[in-house]
Amino acid sequence: MQSTEKIIILDFGSQYTQLIARKVREIGVYAEIYPFNISIEKLKELNPTGIILSGGPSSVYEDGAPIPSFDVFAMGIPVLGICYGLQLIAYQKGGAVDKAARREFGRASLEILNFEDIFAGVSQNTQVWMSHGDHLTKAPEGYEIIAKSENSEICAVRSPDKRIYGVQFHPEVHHTTEGKKILENFVRKICGCKEVWNAQSFITSTIEKIKNLVGDEGVILALSGGVDSTVAAVLLHKALGDKLHCVHIDSGLMRTNESQTIVNLFKDSFNIPIELVDGSGLFLSRLHGVEDPELKRKIIGTAFIDLFEVAAKKFNDAKWLAQGTLYPDVIESVSIKGPSATIKSHHNVGGLPEKMHLKILEPFRELFKDEVRAVGRELGVPEWFVNRHPFPGPGLAIRILGAVTKERLEVLRKADDIYLEEIRNAGLYNHIWQAFAVLLPVSSVGVMGDERTYENVCALRAVTSTDGMTADWFEFPNDVLAKISNRIINEVRGINRVVYDITSKPPGTIEWE
Ligand code: XMP
């Protein structure tokens, strides 16, 4: 555990649950998410300083509505109910909830009626984000109504002992302009959280924790070249020094000079040695003629493990395998996760720990991606690296539709380089979650000069996202797209047509395979 003070968020299925945790952490207070049906014993064991009940799509009167098996309001811990959470307060404490005459979705103007605590310092009329069907028609006995809106007389309530609060709107959403202040008032003023949880405090406590856990034993880390494993390596090196062994496998499926850039970064910036394994021949030969995406993924996963196992044999003090697992992967949420987990087999070094009898070390199990980036910055990882877009373990192999060959890899690399260079030139790189080119197994007719051409189609993908689970396609300015298309067709032999992918996730996935 990173902090003695913590806010526990109980998830009732809202699409915004993770956002609540992120906002509370931004305020500098550690927060974790648990499903609403957590047992009271487990919740007590977690010893929360405050509890936030998320929103959710259900109605409290519905059959099977998510309701905790114990009275969360009787634990003596401050509670803030958001949207469905507010309705739960009303339902359990004797108020009344009704289907709203009309559903309220979008911006609304909130009028604050009491500025004593949760709304201290908030403007009298403030913009909030509403997203609900049901609303309160009667506050529970003794509860004070502390805010209203045009649509609803009861938008926020407070219990007589000033320990239980409920709000109809979503303070965690960006469009609630003073939402952060409201959450801050709850965690700092009402729950009384004093500690400051941030990248620096995380680093200090995690180094301590790793030292205690690992002792003199060796740790191996598979360095993919991505942000998570890189920041993990730098942090672990600080804690363990030369007991950390980094292995980078160049699959030959990386972008231009990628493996060399990683090795140089580690050598020059961090003085951390890397065992570089050239696996390009092996990967390409095993992938020969393979077109099926799942088969490609399986072959690549197995090849990684085979090579990693050989490389790791050198480090006979190793008892641990470090992984850059992030919090969104470990949250046991009732929210519907995106389809990626079951749609694609994500392959990195899964299966290795059991095979090699290694214990798993996951220093970022409690962090969101942007927090890992903040930790990276704090540790001196250069900005250009910290902000790198995610890159999948199977690399360019899942961006070449159909069989992967050396020639097609070269064509894709060139197109991808131009695409990313122009995105950077236009100052758009950090506005995009992930951008890449895809080489299609389709040829089309074109004309260049006076010549007929019959060459490959290249698709460009760029998405915005917060965690990769859902994504929207990025709206490029036309002139940027035009320049990219022009350059790719002129400079990359083998491509005579460029198309832009306008599919969101869902229903699409981010990668094409
Ligand atoms: P999809 O395509 O499932 O991708 O929407 C979601 C995010 O995951 C990345 N991705 C992978 N990352 N190994 C990885 O480490 C994989 O096998 C893999 N497949 C997809 C993808 O780039 C996006 O960021």
Side-chain angles (χ1 to χ4, degrees):
M1 219 37 59
Q2 305 304 330
S3 168
T4 51
E5 292 175 345
K6 74 174 92 53
I7 300 294
I8 296 298
I9 296 151
L10 296 188
D11 182 24
F12 292 88
S14 167
Q15 55 179 323
Y16 303 131
T17 302
Q18 289 197 19
L19 213 49
I20 305 173
R22 297 159 75 108
K23 288 282 150 148
V24 173
R25 290 178 181 199
E26 271 175 35
I27 290 161
V29 176
Y30 184 66
E32 282 181 4
I33 299 168
Y34 288 87
F36 73 92
N37 55 4
I38 184 175
S39 68
I40 187 160
E41 293 76 26
K42 171 80 180 160
L43 187 58
K44 279 186 178 160
E45 195 185 302
L46 290 166
N47 191 22
T49 324
I51 296 172
I52 298 181
L53 313 177
S54 84
S58 311
S59 163
V60 279
Y61 294 115
E62 235 168 63
D63 270 354
I67 293 178
S69 59
F70 53 91
D71 187 353
V72 66
F73 308 108
M75 296 178 73
I77 298 166
V79 180
L80 169 64
I82 295 174
C83 197
Y84 178 88
L86 164 71
Q87 286 144 29
L88 196 68
I89 296 174
Y91 179 71
Q92 296 201 313
K93 294 278 136 191
V97 177
D98 197 8
K99 293 259 175 228
R102 54 193 167 108
R103 287 168 48 85
E104 205 181 358
F105 183 81
R107 292 177 179 81
S109 177
L110 186 79
E111 188 186 338
I112 310 286
L113 304 172
N114 180 305
F115 293 93
E116 272 170 24
D117 38 42
I118 195 153
F119 295 127
V122 174
S123 322
Q124 170 122 44
N125 289 293
T126 184
Q127 177 185 295
V128 295
W129 185 256
M130 295 285 191
S131 171
H132 62 103
D134 296 4
H135 74 176
L136 253 64
T137 48
K138 180 170 159 282
E141 193 61 38
Y143 276 58
E144 199 181 331
I145 298 166
I146 53 174
K148 63 176 187 173
S149 80
E150 266 182 16
N151 266 332
S152 150
E153 282 299 308
I154 311 176
C155 276
V157 299
R158 168 171 90 171
S159 68
D161 63 358
K162 299 180 185 148
R163 302 287 278 172
I164 299 166
Y165 292 75
V167 294
Q168 182 62 78
F169 59 91
H170 288 272
E172 69 278 21
V173 172
H174 176 70
H175 304 294
T176 298
T177 37
E178 293 176 277
K180 202 160 162 186
K181 179 83 203 149
I182 296 167
L183 287 172
E184 188 175 358
N185 285 338
F186 177 69
V187 300
R188 295 275 182 217
K189 284 186 200 301
I190 296 162
C191 302
C193 293
K194 300 266 177 311
E195 290 173 9
V196 178
W197 184 86
N198 57 21
Q200 185 53 59
S201 69
F202 171 84
I203 292 168
T204 313
S205 65
T206 306
I207 288 179
E208 202 48 43
K209 201 164 81 173
I210 292 170
K211 280 184 175 161
N212 289 336
L213 195 66
V214 172
D216 280 339
E217 297 172 339
V219 176
I220 322 177
L221 182 132
L223 203 60
S224 68
V227 177
D228 307 335
S229 61
T230 299
V231 178
V234 179
L235 181 69
L236 288 169
H237 189 254
K238 257 189 176 316
L240 305 170
D242 59 13
K243 279 178 289 176
L244 173 73
H245 312 297
C246 296
V247 177
H248 173 72
I249 294 170
D250 178 2
S251 60
L253 306 168
M254 310 283 280
R255 291 164 294 193
T256 313
N257 293 334
E258 198 151 16
S259 289
Q260 205 46 54
T261 309
I262 294 155
V263 174
N264 290 348
L265 176 77
F266 272 70
K267 214 166 68 199
D268 302 343
S269 302
F270 309 123
N271 205 11
I272 303 177
I274 298 186
E275 178 77 13
L276 177 64
V277 179
D278 179 7
S280 47
L282 180 79
F283 279 82
L284 258 187
S285 67
R286 288 198 190 173
L287 282 170
H288 182 75
V290 177
E291 294 185 3
D292 177 67
E294 270 304 282
L295 193 54
K296 279 186 192 172
R297 284 171 172 275
K298 294 221 162 73
I299 289 171
I300 292 166
T302 311
F304 262 116
I305 291 180
D306 291 350
L307 289 178
F308 191 79
E309 222 180 338
V310 173
K313 285 223 168 82
K314 282 193 187 158
F315 310 114
N316 44 25
D317 66 333
K319 297 279 180 290
W320 297 83
L321 179 76
Q323 292 182 333
T325 316
L326 301 187
Y327 192 47
D329 296 325
V330 296
I331 301 174
E332 220 190 294
S333 172
V334 297
S335 311
I336 299 155
K337 281 202 163 193
S340 54
T342 46
I343 300 280
K344 297 175 186 180
S345 36
H346 279 210
H347 268 297
N348 299 321
V349 286
L352 250 189
E354 302 81 13
K355 211 169 164 194
M356 295 178 64
H357 307 293
L358 294 170
K359 295 177 270 188
I360 298 182
L361 191 59
E362 295 176 316
F364 299 150
R365 267 183 81 80
E366 287 152 352
L367 299 193
F368 290 107
K369 184 104 189 169
D370 46 352
E371 293 171 334
V372 172
R373 291 191 160 124
V375 168
R377 279 186 202 104
E378 196 68 38
L379 288 169
V381 179
E383 200 60 31
W384 64 266
F385 195 90
V386 160
N387 286 330
R388 265 159 66 112
H389 293 170
F391 185 69
L396 300 182
I398 55 166
R399 294 175 180 175
I400 292 176
L401 275 57
V404 181
T405 62
K406 215 170 172 175
E407 295 69 37
R408 289 182 79 76
L409 277 165
E410 270 318 302
V411 172
L412 180 59
R413 274 194 193 107
K414 284 186 186 140
D416 200 72
D417 282 352
I418 294 172
Y419 185 31
L420 290 180
E421 187 181 318
E422 288 303 328
I423 287 175
R424 285 203 175 88
N425 288 346
L428 297 173
Y429 189 84
N430 290 343
H431 296 271
I432 296 172
W433 165 266
Q434 205 169 355
F436 54 90
V438 181
L439 193 61
L440 307 189
V442 174
S443 297
S444 82
V445 175
V447 50
M448 283 181 91
D450 291 326
E451 298 277 319
R452 174 189 192 270
T453 59
Y454 186 59
E455 285 174 344
N456 291 290
V457 180
C458 166
L460 304 179
R461 181 96 165 118
V463 295
T464 55
S465 176
T466 48
D467 52 15
M469 301 305 292
T470 60
D472 288 317
W473 55 276
F474 181 72
E475 289 191 43
F476 273 109
N478 279 347
D479 59 330
V480 178
L481 276 181
K483 186 158 186 206
I484 293 165
S485 153
N486 213 335
R487 277 198 61 196
I488 291 178
I489 291 169
N490 279 317
E491 295 174 35
V492 185
R493 290 201 67 155
I495 292 177
N496 70 348
R497 191 176 294 270
V498 173
V499 296
Y500 187 56
D501 181 356
I502 51 168
T503 318
S504 296
K505 172 182 179 176
T509 52
I510 295 178
E511 303 290 346
W512 277 43
E513 286 196 334

